Amino acid sequence: MPDAAPPSARDVALRWDGRSLQLLDQTLLPFREEWLTLHGAQDTAEAIRRLAVRGAPLIGIAAAYGLAMEIARQPGLGPLERGAQAVSYTH
């Protein structure tokens, strides 16, 4: 079986620049391609809640990045717990 080709830029639903996460807003597909820029647990949880992020693997990855951004901005147990609560109660 041949090796799978690496994903092209058009095949990727998220981008990370080291400070913020960009997610393809899946509520607009297939008619428009728009990227959301997220900076922490709260806006990431909101994107998950409104179904801009779909599919269990991508939801888990986005939630992990949201939590990581939160902790990078405010290191400590309190921000970690609040961020974890935000991304885990997205129903």
Side-chain angles (χ1 to χ4, degrees):
M1 176 179 279
D3 290 337
S8 72
R10 296 206 39 89
D11 296 333
V12 177
L14 66 85
R15 299 174 184 154
W16 171 249
D17 69 7
R19 290 185 323 237
S20 63
L21 179 66
Q22 292 184 332
L23 287 170
L24 183 60
D25 186 339
Q26 296 182 14
T27 63
L28 303 174
L29 296 175
F31 304 107
R32 268 191 10 227
E33 183 176 304
E34 188 173 306
W35 291 82
L36 303 171
T37 301
L38 308 173
H39 301 282
Q42 296 298 328
D43 56 358
T44 301
E46 178 58 29
I48 294 168
R49 261 192 300 279
R50 67 177 198 81
L51 300 178
V53 183
R54 296 183 186 170
L58 187 56
I59 289 170
I61 292 167
Y65 271 107
L67 188 54
M69 290 184 290
E70 200 69 33
I71 297 309
R73 189 173 60 235
Q74 285 187 299
L77 186 56
L80 172 63
E81 290 173 340
R82 285 189 299 278
Q85 184 175 19
V87 297
S88 65
Y89 295 117
T90 56
H91 51 285

